[in-house]
Amino acid sequence: MTANTRWRLRHWWHQVGRPQRLALLVGVLVTLARLCLIGKGTMAFVDESRYVNAMLGLRALSEGHGQEFLRYINSMGARPGDGIWRAIPGLGQALLLLVFDLNPNAPPSLQVPQAFNVLIVSLNALLLYHIYRRFFSVGLALVGLALYSSLVNTNLYLRHLLPYDHSLFFFFLALTVLLRPKTTANLKLQAVVGILAGLSYAIYPGYFMGPILLLAVALLAELDTARSSLSAALKPAAVQLAGLLVVLLGFEGLARLGHTSYWASSRYIATTVTQGSFAEGFSFIGSYFWQVEGWLGISLLLLFGVGVGLSWRAGLTASSGTQRILVHLLTVGFLTWLGYALAVQVAHKLVFYGRTLHFFVPIIIMGALVTLRALGRAKGARAWLYLGIGGVVLAHFGIFLAGYLSIDYPCDVAYHAGIYDYPQIATSQVSVCNKHLMAYRLFGPRLRSQLAQKHPTSTFQLLNFAYLYPVSCYQPAHLRPGKVVADVPYFMKYPAYQFEGHSARERAILQNHEVDFQIVANGN
């Protein structure tokens, strides 16, 4: 590092305020804590197997098979953007395979995409700070960031090869651009917003609420300020929509080149969002925040409700364009949740998951910050408020770390017991308590070098080595005589995981009864 570079860094460090410096140091510590959490947990959920298709597509592309690559990325459940985006950590895994001959399906190699998750979550936090800073003071924006970073829902997916945070990354980018001053009047920036929204949707279509929210906020903001005709006011939203469609049509064209259809796969996936309960359209959010986040979660919901009311009242007389945009954002966010809840409770077309709330959490915190801003206006109250919230989020994050570190997952336990790859899993007996229960064997596919190998003789019996769905029973399955080499609680005992597709009855079974994962070595 040159002397000039060192001087610039020192100058920047002294230029930023003390709160930002403290926040930066805390952010580094939080990132290090998150890195300590990785190393296990991959392939615990069925959807993570789609990551394998992305890796197979990357291999096909490296071998010059373009159509095979397109087929693979379009076999990821209407997530072709995720298939391309995952090439970034995939290249890291490919390097480990070439240099160290490390199996990409093994937990040590899968730490690469997990570390990529940590990077994206950290970038999301930076983008979210800029979004909050658009409406609030430095102190309040940092409080919002601290609240967001401490939640279980924010950190739950770090270990898993799932697209939720990656989709949010592009949504936050789009929202950051949209909230820039005079963006609504700049058609080029509106096109950029639409393109970013399209990428977010192509990575994870479950966050279809994102493009809707961006379009609605752009439309309302322009209607607020438009001094010309209605058609002129609609133009920015129309340009944003055009940018979105360009991305989606581009992915449809790529799918056609691979002899499939992005549109058809999207329509099919839309009919499969039904693993859960239609009875929890309105109650799901309360149940989740109470059982997963505890008092902090319930407090955030209450603060959000009050904040929405305060913003509406202030918005009636607000002359500031920034304040009115905040009102639009909170209102559209609330109405988007309400529409989703109606689609669950009344139309029976969707269900809620913890990952669905993952999209709404930043908006909930934004509404809570409106309330905290009002509370902090009392003389001498702000410092105590910030100090109290700091203690709460520190304790909450610490409790999360302790609980998350203690979780063990079937694939990792099997790996440490000497079961290293697909052939051993394929020939081991998997037992569950109900023969009708869907028992997905979650372990990466065999490598090409293993295709010609004969399966080894089965030496293990695996109990509950699967993603168990639906959970309809809890009595233990019959185990053959032998040595128990592993006995750990089933990972779905962790409350936050139970909201990923299980009904209230199924969650009660997981909470109230012992469901263990066991490996038994044959006695012969």
Side-chain angles (χ1 to χ4, degrees), residues 48 116 132 154 165 194 385 394 407 413 430 461:
E48 293 185 73
F116 188 58
Y132 290 161
T154 299
D165 288 300
L385 184 66
L394 183 62
I407 305 172
V413 175
V430 175
Q461 182 188 16

Side-chain angles (χ1 to χ4, degrees), residues 50-51 53-55 57-58 69-88 163 166 170 198-206 246-256 258 260-267 269:
R50 292 189 172 110
Y51 178 80
N53 286 355
M55 296 304 97
L58 181 62
F69 163 73
L70 293 174
R71 283 195 294 271
Y72 273 123
I73 68 167
N74 282 286
S75 63
M76 295 182 63
R79 304 172 188 181
D82 190 38
I84 296 173
W85 180 245
R86 294 290 184 166
I88 299 173
H166 305 267
F170 286 96
L199 291 173
S200 174
Y201 179 84
I203 287 175
Y204 182 56
V246 164
V247 173
L248 300 185
L249 290 173
F251 278 112
E252 175 65 19
L254 290 175
R256 295 286 183 176
T260 183
S261 171
Y262 175 41
W263 170 244
S265 60
S266 296
R267 283 186 300 167
I269 288 296

